[in-house]
Amino acid sequence: AGAGPNKDFYARNVHPEIHRHCSKLYSQGNYFHAVFEAAKVYNKKVREKSHSLEDGQSLMMGAWTTNGVLKLTACKTETDKNFQEGIKFLSAGLMQAMRNPTAHEPALDWPISKEDCLDMLSFISYLFRQLDRAIFFKGK
């Protein structure tokens, strides 16, 4: 499974959701669409886990904030809060920098190289792993 055109893809050990939604697109050289799919799936999974109707950047800014419903830490110490807020901004940045351009620009006008695709999929994979660890916490 690790040979052929997907060798670099498999070497990244991406999150199972990215593997499921993007491996075929990647193997076809559809790097633009692989990134778009990964970002859309992450958005959908955050929406589901946070029980939110928001989308994109506003979803990430609300769900991952220190008083939001997705918790990676207790959000008590400065380090806890920094990490939680960091994931919020990384997730919002994903929407702004990767999902939105691929949603609004034609693929020919917004080319994504193989290397950039692998880096973006690895980045989204990291966020998926944080989402897997996160607990839903409704608060008071």
Side-chain angles (χ1 to χ4, degrees):
N6 277 11
K7 167 173 61 90
D8 295 332
F9 181 86
Y10 289 114
R12 295 289 178 121
N13 192 29
V14 294
H15 187 274
E17 288 290 346
I18 291 177
H19 189 276
R20 189 160 75 91
H21 290 273
C22 306
S23 62
K24 184 175 181 184
L25 290 166
Y26 178 85
S27 69
Q28 295 167 340
N30 289 325
Y31 307 132
F32 175 96
H33 291 99
V35 169
F36 189 32
E37 282 301 300
K40 288 191 300 184
V41 173
Y42 179 72
N43 186 80
K44 180 181 180 190
K45 297 298 180 178
V46 170
R47 180 186 279 163
E48 288 171 359
K49 192 162 187 173
S50 65
H51 305 281
S52 176
L53 299 175
E54 293 289 325
D55 181 62
Q57 189 177 10
S58 61
L59 168 65
M60 303 309 163
M61 295 299 282
W64 286 114
T65 194
T66 54
N67 58 5
V69 295
L70 295 182
K71 293 284 190 252
L72 288 163
T73 71
C75 293
K76 300 282 187 228
T77 69
E78 201 58 35
T79 299
D80 283 354
K81 292 174 187 173
N82 283 335
F83 185 72
Q84 183 77 33
E85 289 285 300
I87 296 302
K88 172 183 82 173
F89 287 120
L90 290 172
S91 295
L94 164 64
M95 295 297 114
Q96 194 83 12
M98 296 179 198
R99 190 202 64 174
N100 290 354
T102 55
H104 300 292
E105 293 295 327
L108 290 176
D109 293 346
W110 195 261
I112 295 176
S113 70
K114 178 181 179 178
E115 293 74 21
D116 284 350
C117 175
L118 287 169
D119 288 346
M120 290 176 184
L121 294 179
S122 293
F123 172 71
I124 300 168
S125 191
Y126 170 77
L127 291 177
F128 260 117
R129 287 188 172 87
Q130 300 313 304
L131 181 61
D132 288 347
R133 289 187 330 110
I135 60 161
F136 177 79
F137 181 78
K138 193 62 180 160
K140 298 176 186 121

